């Protein structure tokens, strides 16, 4: 089944080109739980064959991710928590998911819009608590673009260099995700300690 989905994505991206990458990454980053791995890895693979430009494919992926995140941000900002909690189930947003994202955002602050983009099962929904908290849109866009950019580049390069070896891709992805989570945990810890120290000095 997954093989068929990947083949369909490869065909769609090939047919629609960069617009296809943008659309799918928009969906992945907004309300539809569509894995970015099956978009950007095939895009990187197509780039390795000369069917796409790697830089433009990465740019389309990042822009699609940012656009989907901004959609979620304004959805939460405009309609509020009650609306999201009540109607979110029709957009694949469960109440418990929303609560987990709010806790994550509360613990890690605005930097979570960067770190959350690099964590599976978090990246799609971290925009909601940012919108509910009325985070500055420019900071939100910057952090989201940086986080999404790192993830998109990793996936595209995996597809570019080892796109035909699914087992090797799975192995590398698991290792990369573990390293990312450890680095994020360390980075967020230092970030929190730094700001707590600044607060004590005032």
């Amino acid at each position: 089944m997954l093989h068929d989905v990947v083949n369909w994505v490869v065909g769609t991206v090939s047919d629609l080109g960069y617009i296809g990458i943008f659309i799918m990454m928009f969906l992945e980053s907004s309300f539809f739980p569509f894995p970015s791995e099956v978009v950007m890895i095939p895009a990187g693979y197509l780039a390795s064959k000369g069917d796409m430009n790697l830089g433009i494919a990465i740019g389309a992926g990042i822009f699609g991710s940012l656009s989907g995140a901004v959609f979620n941000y304004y959805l939460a900002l405009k309609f509020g928590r009650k609306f999201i909690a009540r109607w979110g189930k029709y957009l694949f947003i469960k109440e418990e998911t929303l609560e987990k994202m709010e806790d994550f955002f509360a613990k890690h602050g605005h930097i979570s819009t960067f770190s959350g983009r690099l964590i599976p099962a978090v990246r799609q929904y971290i925009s909601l608590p940012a919108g509910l908290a009325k985070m500055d849109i420019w900071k939100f866009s910057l952090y989201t673009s940086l986080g999404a950019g790192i993830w998109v580049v990793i996936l595209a390069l995996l597809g570019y260099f080892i796109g035909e070896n699914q087992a090797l891709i799975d192995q590398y992805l698991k290792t990369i995700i573990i390293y990312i989570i450890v680095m994020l945990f360390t980075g967020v810890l230092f970030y929190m300690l730094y700001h707590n120290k600044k607060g004590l000095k005032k």
Side-chain angles (χ1 to χ4, degrees):
M1 172 112 181
L2 180 60
H3 181 72
D4 293 335
V5 171
V6 172
N7 284 338
W8 175 79
V9 172
V10 171
T12 302
V13 170
S14 181
D15 292 340
L16 297 179
Y18 306 112
I19 294 176
I21 295 174
F22 171 84
I23 292 172
M24 291 184 181
M25 291 304 289
F26 175 94
L27 291 174
E28 184 272 341
S29 190
S30 56
F31 51 85
F32 192 78
F34 193 83
S36 52
E37 293 87 336
V38 300
V39 180
M40 293 312 306
I41 290 177
Y45 172 66
L46 289 171
S48 73
K49 294 171 59 183
D51 295 333
M52 278 189 164
N53 179 283
L54 183 62
I56 297 176
I58 289 172
I62 295 172
F63 188 50
S65 293
L66 175 61
S67 299
V70 169
F71 177 87
N72 267 11
Y73 172 92
Y74 277 112
L75 185 71
L77 180 67
K78 182 173 177 60
F79 295 105
R81 195 191 189 287
K82 286 185 178 179
F83 177 89
I84 301 296
R86 182 177 181 183
W87 300 102
K89 59 185 177 181
Y90 298 108
L91 297 175
F92 306 98
I93 304 169
K94 298 178 181 179
E95 170 72 21
E96 53 267 35
T97 301
L98 181 58
E99 289 177 357
K100 287 179 182 177
M101 292 306 101
E102 287 177 315
D103 290 342
F104 188 85
F105 187 84
K107 287 179 181 177
H108 304 293
H110 292 173
I111 196 67
S112 62
T113 55
F114 164 76
S115 58
R117 300 300 308 177
L118 296 164
I119 302 174
V122 172
R123 68 174 66 95
Q124 287 92 346
Y125 304 113
I126 194 60
S127 307
L128 295 172
L132 293 173
K134 299 180 181 179
M135 180 181 174
D136 179 77
I137 185 61
W138 297 110
K139 281 186 178 180
F140 172 80
S141 298
L142 175 62
Y143 290 151
T144 298
S145 297
L146 288 174
I150 292 171
W151 185 242
V152 165
V153 167
I154 288 171
L155 295 180
L157 291 180
L158 278 176
Y160 188 86
F161 289 109
I162 52 174
E164 290 185 307
N165 192 330
Q166 185 61 48
L168 196 57
I169 286 174
D170 291 340
Q171 179 184 335
Y172 273 102
L173 266 181
K174 289 176 183 176
T175 304
I176 288 168
I177 288 170
I178 290 170
Y179 274 114
I180 285 174
I181 291 174
V182 171
M183 290 172 64
L184 285 177
F185 178 80
T186 305
V188 168
L189 182 62
F190 276 107
Y191 177 85
M192 292 173 69
L193 289 173
Y194 172 75
H195 280 273
N196 286 338
K197 191 174 181 180
K198 280 183 66 179
L200 291 172
K201 287 182 179 179
K202 290 182 180 178

